[in-house]
Amino acid sequence: MNIRVFENPQLAAVYAAALVEQVIQSIRNPVLGLATGSTPIPLYESLVSFHRQGLSFAHVTALNLDEYVGLSADHPQSYHFFMNEHLFRHVDLPEEKRFLPNGAAPDLALECERYDQIIREHPIDLQILGIGLNGHIGFNEPDVALKANTHVVTLARDTIEANARFFGEQERVPTEAITMGLQPILMAKKVLLLAFGREKADAVVNAVRGDVRTYSPASILQVHPNVTFILDREAAYVL
Ligand code: GLP
């Protein structure tokens, strides 16, 4: 595992964006695994500014990790909406190459199968991850067991509390999500996990030190041969 610590999230994001740029420029039809949440926002800002300076996303395919169940693409708190706002509408990544699970699908089991098929057709070159306060990646929550494939998950109480800040109040946060499982993340050629702020320090230390545990889903990244944790000083302070 590589660990890079930066003075602040902005510098960390520029470093991460340069790694993304490298992948886009060196692979013919690169597949990026993308994440949502507040953490990757400065990364997407950097990528948008790289695009304004000439970086093209025309050959990129983007696969997102997850989506809330019950939120349609035009809901302002949906991850579809987030990706449009923070990246897609600013770059030339073709619409037909942007994939997210559909949280409003009438048959969620079928939707999980559909998404797994898309993942099989587009093995990920570079996976971007954030990390939940409880160590979740995507919405793979701490549990007695973890899942390999795309699945519907009941969100943990602390995840709902943490995400209430985006919804105004806790009652509005969906209680379920569709998330990519751990297999495509572990099969990605390269993984970048970003974590900023002191409140992420415990999740980070549990992921990188000690054993792989299902109660720290991010700790499974220890078995991956090419993972870089990109941290600010605060998130790294107990390492
Ligand atoms: C969300 C997402 C994760 C994200 C995490 C942390 O609920 N499903 O992909 O990494 O929680 O979010 P944030 O970056 O806002 O702290």
Side-chain angles (χ1 to χ4, degrees):
M1 244 175 189
N2 309 307
I3 299 175
R4 300 291 314 256
V5 181
F6 293 84
E7 204 54 51
N8 57 53
Q10 282 64 38
L11 291 175
V14 172
Y15 175 77
L19 295 178
V20 174
E21 180 184 41
Q22 233 172 51
V23 167
I24 293 176
Q25 288 179 334
S26 61
I27 296 177
R28 187 188 293 268
N29 290 302
V31 180
L32 301 181
L34 299 179
T36 50
S38 53
T39 306
I41 291 176
L43 163 63
Y44 296 142
E45 283 169 1
S46 295
L47 287 174
V48 169
S49 100
F50 287 10
H51 173 65
R52 293 197 176 122
Q53 292 161 48
L55 177 68
S56 172
F57 289 73
H59 299 289
V60 172
T61 297
L63 291 185
N64 262 80
L65 285 165
D66 46 15
E67 179 59 284
Y68 288 111
V69 166
L71 300 195
S72 56
D74 57 357
H75 188 289
Q77 294 309 331
S78 73
Y79 287 162
H80 275 80
F81 196 91
F82 175 100
M83 290 309 302
N84 281 332
E85 279 303 294
H86 292 285
L87 185 67
F88 294 154
R89 72 186 178 89
H90 305 286
V91 297
D92 59 343
L93 202 157
E95 241 177 90
E96 66 280 9
K97 293 184 176 188
R98 308 169 183 175
F99 297 104
L100 287 99
N102 176 8
D107 183 335
L108 293 174
L110 210 64
E111 176 58 15
C112 291
E113 279 175 35
R114 181 192 75 92
Y115 208 60
D116 276 336
Q117 183 57 35
I118 292 168
I119 294 167
R120 274 193 293 276
E121 287 164 10
H122 303 90
I124 297 167
D125 292 300
L126 176 67
Q127 177 67 53
I128 307 292
L129 294 174
I131 185 170
L133 292 174
N134 62 8
H136 72 219
I137 47 178
F139 270 132
N140 291 275
E141 296 279 31
D143 208 334
V144 285
L146 300 175
K147 291 196 190 303
N149 295 328
T150 302
H151 57 283
V152 175
V153 61
T154 301
L155 298 178
R157 175 69 21 214
D158 28 1
T159 299
I160 291 175
E161 281 167 17
N163 289 354
R165 68 200 144 113
F166 300 112
F167 287 84
E169 52 186 300
Q170 212 166 297
E171 289 66 38
R172 295 210 198 117
V173 185
T175 54
E176 292 182 316
I178 301 187
T179 184
M180 204 183 259
L182 293 170
Q183 189 194 45
I185 297 172
L186 291 176
M187 286 179 66
K189 291 201 191 88
K190 192 177 177 68
V191 178
L192 303 183
L193 185 146
L194 279 61
F196 307 137
R198 190 160 284 223
E199 68 278 10
K200 294 289 174 71
D202 286 341
V204 167
V205 79
N206 288 332
V208 305
R209 302 268 186 262
D211 293 333
V212 173
R213 280 153 297 152
T214 60
Y215 279 91
S216 166
S219 68
I220 202 165
L221 297 172
Q222 290 179 27
V223 307
H224 191 285
N226 193 348
V227 177
T228 303
F229 274 60
I230 299 177
L231 310 172
D232 69 351
R233 280 194 186 285
E234 298 280 294
Y237 93 109
V238 267
L239 285 181

